[in-house]
Amino acid sequence: MSDVVLPPVIRDVPGQEQAAGFLARALANPYHAYVFAGPEGSGKRLGMRAFAAALLCARGGCGECRDCRLALGERHPNMLVLEPGGPDILVGKDAGDPNTARWFASRAYLTPPEPGRKVMVVLQADRLRVEAADVLLKVIEEPPTDTLFLLLSARPDDLTDTIRSRCQEVSFPPLSEEFVVGTLVTEGHGEQRARLACRLAGGNLGRARRLAADDRQLAAFREDALAAARQAFQGPAGALSAAETLTSAAKQFRARLGEELEEDLQPFLDERGRPEEPFRGVVRRLEEQHERRLRRAEREFLDWSLLSLAAYWRDAVLVSTGGDPGLVINLDQDVRTEVPGDGTPSSAARAWGEVEEARADLADETNLNARLILERLFLRLSELRPVS
């Protein structure tokens, strides 16, 4: 890759030298459709933003101009983003049905708000319903001039073969722990804190950054989850109280997110507080994004909390079976004293399995009642409490 000159925006894509080199070479003669494939936290979304910025920037991705700044925030008027509003991306009733495949495809043929290319982005593209994928396929097969499609997926094998065969694939493999830790250390965090944040985040660089930068966030999920687990180990009544504890904490998390929208919108409003004309679409998308994030906020909090619990019992299994202490996730705590239970590997393994099963149930958005999932989990955990 030594012969490839990386534009500044693409050079900033962390830990993905092969993908960055591919994207830099593609700028000279870009294909009309790409799939950015890789697990969550691998940097594929950052790669998509960087590539979009380079395509929309008059200087090929300087990283400093208005076009780059807006594209890197997914707020450029010439970018249109489609993402699931629920479990799947739906086909839609017609072109006026927002955030659906028909709405998205119809806008591919419209003149962009500003001169230049148009970049059409599909997030979590593997969640396209079959009929929605068929609508998207038609516009990818006959793309409008100067329009590029960027599809992102953590599960590219779930994309239809017809769409995948018409796209060039850009792979984003998982980032190594050492890379994530090294990045956080370079950004000013201590090595121990960086490694703890990395392991709690499951190697997701973006999530690790947020954890490392925020003491409250670094502690909150683990503390709330562990407090609930301790309640559950007091018996069935404690289990029901544990579900209430974690549900209330999730609602508080959602309320804090609800305060962020006004700050996000401010750069795009005029002196009267109305959206500036070129950014009406951007403002509408920000509002829709924020609303979707609020809808997901409680489950996101619960998933992080249960992920923390799973990590505790995973560490308990590791320690109680004489495993390598260097593989412990919760580096700052002694799981032998912190984690409730009888200390046996079998009990910890059962608890770990119950938590992972609850996480899977929460991830299925057809399970509408998160409270019932928590109650079932904590009642099962209460059965594992030591018998006095």
Side-chain angles (χ1 to χ4, degrees):
M1 202 181 72
S2 58
D3 59 334
V4 180
V5 178
L6 300 181
V9 289
I10 292 180
R11 192 167 59 233
D12 289 341
V13 177
Q16 296 290 359
E17 288 79 7
Q18 286 191 327
F22 178 90
L23 295 173
R25 290 189 292 272
L27 288 172
N29 186 26
Y31 197 62
H32 72 281
Y34 295 87
V35 170
F36 288 64
E40 297 301 328
S42 61
K44 64 181 180 296
R45 190 162 181 174
L46 293 176
M48 174 276 290
R49 291 170 174 171
F51 191 49
L55 291 168
L56 295 168
C57 171
R59 290 180 281 177
C62 66
E64 299 176 353
C65 68
R66 167 186 174 275
D67 287 326
C68 281
R69 292 196 304 272
L70 290 174
L72 291 172
E74 296 180 20
R75 296 172 182 180
H76 197 287
N78 286 16
M79 285 181 75
L80 187 67
V81 180
L82 174 65
E83 60 183 315
D88 299 307
I89 298 175
L90 304 178
V91 63
K93 298 187 293 293
D94 52 41
D97 194 0
N99 212 47
T100 64
R102 284 179 174 149
W103 167 84
F104 184 75
S106 70
R107 276 148 182 78
Y109 296 99
L110 299 179
T111 302
E114 297 185 358
R117 290 187 172 110
K118 183 157 54 177
V119 178
M120 311 282 288
V121 179
V122 182
L123 302 178
Q124 300 179 63
D126 49 271
R127 292 170 65 176
L128 284 159
R129 288 266 185 95
V130 173
E131 58 272 23
D134 289 342
V135 169
L136 184 62
L137 175 64
K138 291 177 182 177
V139 72
I140 289 178
E141 285 181 322
E142 300 177 5
T145 304
D146 285 337
T147 298
L148 286 90
F149 295 88
L150 310 181
L151 283 63
L152 278 69
S153 177
R155 294 173 292 276
D157 290 340
D158 289 348
L159 288 168
T160 62
D161 291 338
T162 50
I163 284 184
R164 198 172 178 185
S165 66
R166 286 161 176 79
C167 301
Q168 290 191 0
E169 189 163 312
V170 190
S171 295
F172 287 78
L175 298 173
S176 70
E177 178 174 307
E178 292 310 314
F179 176 83
V180 174
V181 171
T183 299
L184 296 179
V185 169
T186 301
E187 293 172 356
H189 301 290
E191 196 274 340
Q192 181 81 352
R193 184 184 184 88
R195 196 167 299 277
L196 172 62
C198 174
R199 293 187 179 184
L200 289 175
N204 184 316
L205 178 57
R207 182 178 289 186
R209 273 196 175 110
R210 293 194 293 275
L211 290 175
D214 188 341
D215 284 319
R216 183 178 66 175
Q217 197 169 115
L218 188 61
F221 297 100
R222 291 195 298 168
E223 290 176 355
D224 289 331
L226 202 54
R230 288 176 180 141
Q231 283 181 292
F233 272 71
Q234 295 170 9
L240 297 179
S241 295
E244 173 61 30
T245 295
L246 215 51
T247 301
S248 297
K251 289 178 180 177
Q252 292 172 12
F253 175 73
R254 184 183 190 277
R256 289 196 297 271
L257 287 182
E259 300 170 0
E260 296 179 4
L261 178 60
E262 184 175 346
E263 182 179 341
D264 289 343
L265 291 180
Q266 196 57 45
F268 306 103
L269 305 180
D270 60 24
E271 62 279 2
R272 292 176 295 178
R274 298 175 181 174
E276 295 183 8
E277 187 59 37
F279 297 105
R280 288 186 181 277
V282 173
V283 169
R284 183 167 57 252
R285 179 170 174 263
L286 279 174
E287 291 172 337
E288 292 170 352
Q289 261 188 336
H290 192 77
E291 180 59 33
R292 283 194 293 274
R293 189 180 179 197
L294 285 179
R295 287 200 300 267
R296 296 193 301 261
E298 293 184 34
R299 287 198 181 222
E300 177 182 308
F301 179 92
L302 294 176
D303 182 63
W304 276 41
S305 298
L306 297 188
L307 180 61
S308 298
L309 274 187
Y312 272 121
W313 272 303
R314 174 260 188 203
D315 286 351
V317 171
L318 179 74
V319 170
S320 61
T321 55
D324 182 357
L327 299 177
V328 167
I329 292 175
N330 295 279
L331 297 167
D332 58 338
Q333 297 183 1
D334 185 349
V335 295
R336 291 170 297 184
T337 58
E338 293 290 339
V339 179
D342 60 12
T344 62
S346 60
S347 176
R350 283 185 60 192
W352 182 10
E354 295 290 359
V355 174
E356 290 293 2
E357 183 177 335
R359 287 189 66 214
D361 289 340
L362 278 172
D364 181 356
E365 295 188 26
T366 60
N367 291 325
L368 299 179
N369 197 327
R371 174 66 174 269
L372 290 179
I373 294 173
L374 292 178
E375 289 182 351
R376 182 177 61 184
L377 166 65
F378 289 125
L379 284 169
R380 288 178 174 176
L381 292 180
S382 73
E383 297 173 357
L384 301 178
R385 70 188 187 279
V387 178
S388 55

